[in-house]
Structure formats: structure tokens, C-alpha cells
Amino acid sequence: MTQVSSPAEQADGTVVGEQRKAAGVKDVRRLDRVIIRFAGDSGDGMQLTGDRFTSETASFGNDLSTLPNFPAEIRAPAGTLPGVSSFQLHFADHDILTPGDAPNVLVAMNPAALKANIADLPRGAEIIVNTDEFTKRAMQKVGYATSPLEDGSLDGYHLHPVPLTTLTVEALKEFDLTRKEAERSKNMFALGLLSWMYHRPTEGTEKFLKSKFAKKPDIAAANIAAFRAGWNFGETTEDFAVSYEIAPATTAFPTGTYRNISGNLALSYGLVAASRQADLPLFLGSYPITPASDILHELSKHKNFGVRTFQAEDEIAGIGAALGAAFGGSLAVTTTSGPGVALKSETIGLAVSLELPLLVIDIQRGGPSTGLPTKTEQADLLQAMYGRNGEAPVPIVAPCTPADCFDAALEAARIALTYRTPVMLLSDGYLANGSEPWRIPDLDELPDLQVQFTQGPNHTLDDGTEVFWPYKRDPQTLARPWAIPGTPGLEHRIGGIEKQDGTGNISYDPANHDFMVRIRQAKIDGIDVPDVEVDDPHGARTLVLGWGSTYGPITAAVRRLRTAGESIAQAHLRHLNPFPTNLGTVLKSYDKVVIPEMNLGQLAALVRAKYLVDAHSYNQVNGMPFKAEQLATALKEAIDD
């Protein structure tokens, strides 16, 4: 965290500082960036607090990146380490790429939150603790034999003991609330205090609270009062002698209108945009599963755009309904996570056989089986590539940032509609729940995705009869025609049994099956995808190759290495099947290729097999994204090796 003193302090720091203190004016220090983590019980509202601080930070114009982290249990035991929920926000006056490696500020609502997060803090960081929760019983529950607020174990940090619960209850004594009801607003008190510390706007939060509790105006008023009390506490207490300014990131963004957006919200908007650009109704067949459920929730709000959402009884029914909608002429989508992809695999194979457009969105999480439902991972790549019986190739697209999920949805729709194929879109929990600023595109920037349904016969027999052949292919894309059921003269068979090329009649002929397998593979291999771009300003000998959400940490690590004088190249893959046509040439032009992944080396295995390149894996599967410093160290070792 870089600190820059104010102009007055630069002129005569000591004298002016004393004059400001004598006048009762608190110092304001300018920073270029800061990392804040809110932590407490899963019922303490840490995600809401983080969301509101993020929204105000976005409206202020800072660049930002967030990392929500919460337990898988709906309500873990209060005051325990497994029940700790946290929200980390990194914001700056310049372009940033990750939620940050280590918090500069920790807000700990109880002993469990402190113990679960203290190891991540650098020495000198600020810690704001809710002293009301540091009872003997609460501390014993997490293994504190003595109070960390009194035993000297926090001497290396700037500790701010604040009785958040008591102050909140006192601020709300005029309201007709029980003590328990009043205590629930302590997260708003903390938000008000942090908003004062970092000069965040307040109007948006107050408007949000009025809207959220519109049917309970007393609760809305109480939360606003707690929020204002937190702000006033920061302004008046002597414990907080300094507040901080982080200027808007005016040079980080191209001109445009921006909003804060999460990956799942961006995906939802991308799907709606794709349906409008294709002039097709959007159908989502889905079964709720963490961390993909937010897409179902969001799309259900947009019936005005022709969106139809179907919450099925299970994963198989969800994709079955979606494939039926594709047959009927809709832009069809199913959303899930890794366990759901396994259940959907047979129907994905059916979509390959039927050659119908279908978007299968996999928000990856820790596995196997139920695994880590609320933690991130990139371990479904090989399942997406091969997880079906028979030769059933499927294109794979992976977004690299939360905002990029919008563009990835449009790209997946383009491929599905153009080539008449199911497409796998691999996001993950880190992208889905994380957020960043997103420039809202103009309509003329969106691709034209309109398709032409077959209206009549497309083939002439030897005797001159005009007929409809459902598997007669476009010579450029190898896509078969898309015929809406019920169109006169276009009746044809569907089903999973192998079809005869052209006619679509059932066929058990060995030569025909060999041809159909190869033509389906050739269709996927021939998909038009952009060349992979390489960032290599200094002619490096080592290339770091990534995919998906590793983009932010990899790019941040590469920046650190280049700032330190190292030469390293970077490339990132959006299209994982088919690979860009120039990828083999790129890989073979470097002495060493390093592939960081949040799995045990799945992309590395594909690269080694296809290109015979000795790619080096750097892997992590702890449910958390890479840290930039961690990657920088690993890449430096690779360069020096």
C-alpha cells in the first residue's frame, strides 16, 4: 500500500500535522490502492456489507476486484471457524487485475473471524475488531486461551478495538426494536465507519436500504441510522486519526458508461443480448446448484425480453427441456456446476448427435462429488472435453474475468448457432461471485447472430423430386439445416440412433457411422476462432499460458516480473476446443512454457498431447484463486531454471 502525503504535509509535514491536530482536523492521506476484508459469521451480513462498499466504490470511479468467500453450509454454527464468511475488495486509482494478495484492513466481527483471517495479514495492517464479541466463551470456541486483544499477539498490527454491537444498539435506542433486532444492524455501522475512512459516497447505500426494506420502513430507517452512526463515529473518535483518499481511476478505463458487475450477472446479460441479436426467444432449463443458481434467478426477471426460465426437478430434466427448446427454435441454455455436467452428459451427447445449438454453462467448483460447493476450481476441463460416451466433440469457451463473461456468452452463442452444436462455457466460482467495472457496450458493437430457419426443400433427387434432407450440410461450416417442427414438408426423424448422412434415416452401416463421426469432428475442428495473441514486448524465452480465471493473477504476476527487469511472455486462451490454429507455432517458439491452473494440470495434458511440447504445470487446488506474488515467485524460478 503506497502512501502519498497531502500537499500541505509535503511542504512541512511535522509542523502542519501538529497544526491540523491542534485545530481538531483529522489527517487525510492519499493512497493509490487498498485491500479491505470484511469477516464475520455467515449471518453477520458480510456479503451485503462488501457488496454495498463495492457498489459505492464503483460509482466513485475506482478500478476494483472482489473476492467473496463463504461457507457451504446454509447456516454454519455461530462463532466457529467453519462458519466464517468474508468479502475482500481491492480498489485503486489505476488498472488492477486481482482482489489482492493480502488485506491492508481487516474488519473482524468476532474471534472466529479474526483467527480465520489473521494469517493473511501483513505486519502493520489495520485490524478493526468488534470487542463486544470477544467473550471468554466465544474465544474458547475457536481456541484462544487468552484474549488476543490483550496478550500482545497483535502488537505488530494497528489494532482498533470498537464495541460495534454496543454502539449500534445505542444508536438505535429510539427505535422500537428488540436488542437482538438492533444488533443485526452492526454490519451497517461497520460499513458507515469504513465509508468514512475511505471517503466513499453514502447516497447509494441509503437509497438501497430504503428500497430493500420498502415494506418495513422502520427497519430501513434503523439500518440507515446505524450506517450514519458508523460514519459519525469515525469522524469524532480519537482512535481513527486518519482517513484515506483513493482517487478515481480516470486513466484505467476507455470512455464509456460503466457499472459494477459480477460474472454470473454478466453471463445472464450476455445470454439476453445473444437472444436479442439472434432474434430468438431465450429458454433456460436449469436445476439450482451452487455457484450457478444466480443465473437462473437473474434470467427469471427478464420475461419482457422473451426469456423463459424452467426450474426442473433435476439436472437431467433441465437439459432435456433445453434441448427440446432448441429443437423448437429457441436459443437454449442449461446452467450447472461440475456434478450437474456429469448428469447431463448423455443429453449433451444427444445434442451432438442431433446437431442442435445448445449452451451448457458450467460454473466450476471444487470437486470431486459434492466437493467444495462454494470454493473455486478449474477441474472440469477434461470432463468438458471428453466426458461423454462415444466420439462426441463439443466446443469449449472460457471467460477470463467477471466482465468478460458477457462477451463469452455471446461467443458461445455464435458458435452454437453458426455450427449447430452444443457448446460448453466454463466459468468458475471465482468469476461467478467476483466483480469488476464493466463498460456497457453500444448495440452496434454486438455481433449479428441471426439465423435462417429452413423453409422448404433443400435437395433434388435424381428423378427431379425436391425433398428435405435434415443432414445436408453447409459447405463452409458443415452445419446441418435447422428446421422448426411443424413446418410443412420438413418432417424428419430425431433421436440418438445414428443417422444416414444427408437423409437422416436411421443407419447401422459401418461406413456411414465412420463418416458421420469424422464429419462431426471436422465441424468442430473447423470452427473459426481468433488466433491466440501473445504479449511479449522484450523477446522472452519463457511463455506463461493460461485459461479462464487465472488471467488476473497471471497478468499481475507478469507485470511484477517485468517491473523487476525480467523478460517473460504471456498468452491466454478463450477457446479450448478447438484451439486457435496458431497455438502450436506460438508454443514451439519458446524455450519453456509454464501453465498455471487451479487443477492438477488438465490444460497442460492437452497441450502436451496435441503439440508435443514439454509444458510445465504449476497447480493449486485449495479452493482459492492464485495470488500474484505466489505466481511471480514460481515464474521467476521457471525463468532462472
Side-chain angles (χ1 to χ4, degrees):
M1 184 168 66
T2 304
Q3 294 186 353
V4 180
S5 56
S6 68
E9 290 170 330
Q10 292 173 9
D12 190 348
T14 304
V15 175
V16 173
E18 293 300 324
Q19 290 173 343
R20 288 174 62 86
K21 290 177 183 177
V25 179
K26 294 190 176 185
D27 287 342
V28 178
R29 295 181 187 170
R30 293 177 183 167
L31 311 178
D32 63 355
R33 66 185 182 93
V34 72
I35 303 166
I36 299 173
R37 184 181 295 176
F38 298 93
D41 270 335
S42 56
D44 282 340
M46 294 297 93
Q47 303 305 317
L48 175 62
T49 305
D51 282 340
R52 289 313 315 158
F53 196 94
T54 299
S55 294
E56 298 300 345
T57 296
S59 68
F60 188 73
N62 296 118
D63 195 12
L64 61 90
S65 180
T66 68
L67 178 62
N69 188 13
F70 38 85
E73 292 84 356
I74 293 174
R75 190 65 183 271
T80 64
L81 293 175
V84 173
S85 173
S86 68
F87 188 104
Q88 183 164 306
L89 166 67
H90 181 194
F91 60 104
D93 64 2
H94 57 278
D95 176 31
I96 58 173
L97 297 155
T98 74
D101 288 359
N104 307 117
V105 181
L106 172 66
V107 180
M109 303 298 281
N110 59 22
L114 177 65
K115 187 157 191 178
N117 292 281
I118 189 67
D120 292 337
L121 267 65
R123 307 299 274 183
E126 295 194 67
I127 303 175
I128 301 171
V129 295
N130 180 14
T131 55
D132 290 325
E133 295 297 321
F134 279 72
T135 63
K136 184 175 181 181
R137 183 172 182 273
M139 288 187 289
Q140 287 178 341
K141 191 180 292 187
V142 295
Y144 280 129
T146 59
S147 172
L149 309 184
E150 300 171 354
D151 63 8
S153 60
L154 301 179
D155 287 350
Y157 306 94
H158 296 297
L159 180 65
H160 301 280
V162 181
L164 287 173
T165 306
T166 299
L167 291 171
T168 302
V169 171
E170 179 65 21
L172 302 184
K173 64 182 180 181
E174 298 179 1
F175 294 84
D176 186 21
L177 300 173
T178 66
R179 180 179 177 86
K180 186 174 182 180
E181 290 172 334
E183 288 178 359
R184 291 175 182 163
S185 296
K186 62 181 180 289
N187 64 322
M188 288 297 105
F189 189 101
L191 178 60
L193 172 58
L194 269 293
S195 297
W196 171 83
M197 282 183 66
Y198 292 96
H199 295 244
R200 298 297 92 186
T202 60
E203 296 82 3
T205 293
E206 294 192 9
K207 183 178 179 180
F208 166 83
L209 291 171
K210 290 177 182 177
S211 174
K212 180 176 177 64
F213 299 106
K215 296 182 179 180
K216 299 179 179 179
D218 292 344
I219 300 298
N223 277 283
I224 291 171
F227 177 66
R228 291 175 177 173
W231 177 283
N232 293 333
F233 176 78
E235 183 71 31
T236 57
T237 184
E238 295 182 0
D239 191 34
F240 293 91
V242 178
S243 63
Y244 304 93
E245 285 185 351
I246 297 91
T250 53
T251 61
F253 307 118
T255 302
T257 302
Y258 286 80
R259 60 156 294 166
N260 184 51
I261 201 165
S262 68
N264 274 350
L265 184 57
L267 261 176
S268 301
Y269 287 174
L271 293 171
V272 174
S275 75
R276 293 299 83 211
Q277 292 303 105
D279 195 22
L280 297 174
L282 178 65
F283 180 91
L284 173 67
S286 183
Y287 180 75
I289 183 172
T290 301
S293 300
D294 288 341
I295 302 173
L296 172 61
H297 301 158
E298 181 61 33
L299 288 180
S300 68
K301 303 174 184 177
H302 298 292
K303 296 180 178 65
N304 57 312
F305 286 113
V307 178
R308 289 171 290 179
T309 53
F310 170 57
Q311 180 175 322
E313 65 268 29
D314 56 39
E315 295 281 4
I316 299 172
I319 190 173
L323 185 56
F327 179 60
S330 291
L331 177 59
V333 185
T334 188
T335 53
T336 189
S337 190
V341 174
L343 292 169
K344 296 178 189 289
S345 62
E346 183 180 3
T347 308
I348 297 172
L350 176 59
V352 171
S353 177
L354 297 181
E355 300 189 46
L356 287 172
L358 173 68
L359 303 186
V360 181
I361 296 176
D362 176 7
I363 313 298
Q364 299 168 97
R365 71 189 207 189
S369 187
T370 307
L372 304 174
T374 61
K375 309 302 180 184
T376 195
E377 205 164 274
Q378 284 184 298
D380 293 347
L381 177 56
L382 293 183
Q383 180 179 218
M385 185 75 76
Y386 301 121
R388 294 161 295 283
N389 64 295
E391 296 286 348
V394 171
I396 303 172
V397 176
C400 62
T401 69
D404 186 51
C405 288
F406 178 86
D407 296 318
L410 285 163
E411 175 65 359
R414 177 191 73 86
I415 294 173
L417 294 171
T418 302
Y419 296 90
R420 310 285 197 270
T421 178
V423 177
M424 295 284 295
L425 190 153
L426 295 183
S427 179
D428 60 42
Y430 170 37
L431 294 183
N433 297 314
S435 62
E436 66 176 351
W438 171 59
R439 187 181 71 83
I440 301 172
D442 295 328
L443 287 178
D444 58 8
E445 298 176 46
L446 302 180
D448 181 0
L449 301 178
Q450 290 200 23
V451 297
Q452 296 296 323
F453 294 113
T454 302
Q455 301 297 326
N458 62 356
H459 184 75
T460 303
L461 300 177
D462 292 341
D463 62 3
T465 304
E466 292 186 338
V467 296
F468 172 62
W469 275 16
Y471 282 86
K472 184 169 184 176
R473 301 180 181 278
D474 181 290
Q476 298 298 320
T477 64
L478 300 181
R480 79 174 186 92
W482 195 1
I484 300 297
T487 306
L490 304 188
E491 297 85 359
H492 60 283
R493 294 177 177 84
I494 63 168
I497 297 178
E498 186 65 279
K499 306 298 187 295
Q500 184 182 43
D501 179 47
T503 69
N505 296 329
I506 291 174
S507 173
Y508 294 96
D509 177 59
N512 178 77
H513 177 60
D514 183 273
F515 177 82
M516 292 295 279
V517 167
R518 293 180 187 276
I519 201 72
R520 287 190 290 259
Q521 183 66 57
K523 181 175 69 170
I524 304 307
D525 292 342
I527 291 173
D528 181 25
V529 302
D531 283 348
V532 64
E533 297 181 0
V534 182
D535 176 20
D536 185 6
H538 306 116
R541 298 174 58 191
T542 299
L543 172 73
V544 54
L545 179 69
W547 71 278
S549 66
T550 58
Y551 172 78
I554 289 174
T555 306
V558 166
R559 286 182 181 179
R560 295 188 185 197
L561 289 172
R562 289 177 181 170
T563 299
E566 300 292 340
S567 180
I568 187 167
Q570 178 187 0
H572 206 80
L573 294 175
R574 162 173 282 182
H575 296 90
L576 296 152
N577 192 31
F579 285 131
T581 55
N582 70 328
L583 181 58
T585 302
V586 167
L587 295 174
K588 291 176 181 178
S589 63
Y590 289 91
D591 295 343
K592 186 174 296 182
V593 177
V594 182
I595 304 180
E597 297 181 79
M598 293 187 294
N599 56 46
L600 295 183
Q602 296 188 15
L603 175 60
L606 294 173
V607 165
R608 291 188 189 111
K610 184 173 180 63
Y611 300 108
L612 303 181
V613 170
D614 186 20
H616 299 264
S617 286
Y618 183 75
N619 308 113
Q620 173 177 295
V621 281
N622 62 4
M624 297 294 287
F626 285 112
K627 294 182 177 180
E629 186 62 33
Q630 165 196 3
L631 274 183
T633 300
L635 295 176
K636 178 66 167 63
E637 292 175 355
I639 293 171
D640 294 341
D641 186 11

